[in-house]
Amino acid sequence: SQQGEEDPQALSIQEGENATMNCSYKTSINNLQWYRQNSGRGLVHLILIRSNEREKHSGRLRVTLDTSKKSSSLLITASRAADTASYFCATDNNNNDMRFGAGTRLTVKP
Amino acid sequence: GAGVSQSPSNKVTEKGKDVELRCDPISGHTALYWYRQSLGQGLEFLIYFQGNSAPDKSGLPSDRFSAERTGGSVSTLTIQRTQQEDSAVYLCASSYSWGRNQPQHFGDGTRLSIL
């Protein structure tokens, strides 16, 4: 069964704008990870945030985690056409297997 | 190789046939995972291996699905008596070790189509 649920399901923005995607989950976690998937390809790991962290940055990516609300957000700043992809959150719970959401399909228009 | 390799990249077969999907993880990665992704959907966890051992097989959809890993490296996912609902992309991932806080490295998947 899926654990994380991304919101929105689809997002379309203009190049240069910021994109924000949200993830909600149900059970306690050890960490939460964000992945990107280009069409027809496998997933690529973007960033991992541990349950005791609240915010993390990597280049144009900013991830927040609110364990009290069981939610996370991924912000991509100054988006580019190459950022067009599906973005998934994945939670690592005590079972040591990853549970992925259905993803947010991001389209960045040039 | 440099990344996770899966073969074949595409497989079309008739309903009722058996299929075998192969995953070659990154060298040195002890943990290996199989997922299934239906069109436009998220990933459905199937099974993971720590070394050659699969502690949790509960994610396999039915007894027609089985997986093995030998030598702590290559893994095969076998689907017997395939059904049309088995059509999906099967993704394999590996990580350096089993345990928490390990990012997974994915192959590009096998796209399976059952006619």
Side-chain angles (χ1 to χ4, degrees):
Chain A
S1 62
Q2 293 179 345
Q3 161 77 306
E5 292 186 10
E6 291 88 348
D7 168 61
Q9 291 186 331
L11 179 61
S12 182
I13 59 174
Q14 292 295 135
E15 207 166 28
E17 294 179 338
N18 295 342
T20 299
M21 289 159 273
N22 302 297
C23 170
S24 60
Y25 56 92
K26 296 184 175 68
T27 64
S28 63
I29 60 172
N30 296 309
N31 68 66
L32 186 144
Q33 302 182 30
W34 283 91
Y35 288 79
R36 183 186 74 207
Q37 184 180 35
N38 289 86
S39 180
R41 304 299 298 274
L43 280 71
V44 175
H45 179 260
L46 295 176
I47 197 165
L48 180 153
I49 186 165
R50 299 171 192 250
S51 59
N52 61 353
E53 296 176 312
R54 292 297 167 258
E55 188 171 312
K56 205 162 183 179
H57 298 256
S58 176
R60 294 184 295 111
L61 305 181
R62 173 177 169 252
V63 169
T64 62
L65 178 64
D66 187 335
T67 53
S68 67
K69 295 181 180 177
K70 291 187 169 58
S71 68
S72 173
S73 67
L74 170 66
L75 168 68
I76 303 175
T77 60
S79 63
R80 305 166 181 168
D83 294 329
T84 294
S86 291
Y87 291 83
F88 296 87
C89 68
T91 54
D92 181 352
N93 56 26
N94 291 322
N95 291 331
N96 289 304
D97 60 73
M98 299 289 288
R99 301 288 171 167
F100 288 80
T104 292
R105 291 185 304 280
L106 173 66
T107 302
V108 181
K109 300 175 184 176
Chain B
V4 177
S5 177
Q6 291 189 246
S7 61
S9 54
N10 287 282
K11 177 72 176 179
V12 181
T13 192
E14 294 178 345
K15 176 183 170 181
K17 300 285 188 183
D18 297 352
V19 295
E20 191 172 277
L21 312 179
R22 175 187 169 110
C23 174
D24 214 328
I26 292 173
S27 178
H29 280 195
T30 60
L32 186 148
Y33 308 81
W34 283 100
Y35 298 89
R36 179 168 70 175
Q37 185 177 31
S38 299
L39 186 63
Q41 300 297 311
L43 275 67
E44 175 188 2
F45 170 78
L46 298 179
I47 191 170
Y48 82 91
F49 288 89
Q50 173 56 16
N52 293 334
S53 172
D56 181 5
K57 301 180 180 179
S58 62
L60 294 175
S62 75
D63 58 9
R64 295 185 295 104
F65 288 71
S66 63
E68 66 175 14
R69 189 181 186 195
T70 56
S73 181
V74 172
S75 175
T76 55
L77 177 68
T78 301
I79 309 173
Q80 296 179 309
R81 305 181 304 281
T82 52
Q83 303 293 313
Q84 287 185 329
E85 61 263 27
D86 299 334
S87 296
V89 175
Y90 289 81
L91 290 164
C92 174
S94 69
S95 61
Y96 179 71
S97 66
W98 173 80
R100 296 158 190 166
N101 303 323
Q102 294 288 329
Q104 295 186 13
H105 302 263
F106 282 79
D108 285 338
T110 293
R111 187 174 301 276
L112 178 63
S113 299
I114 309 299
L115 303 178

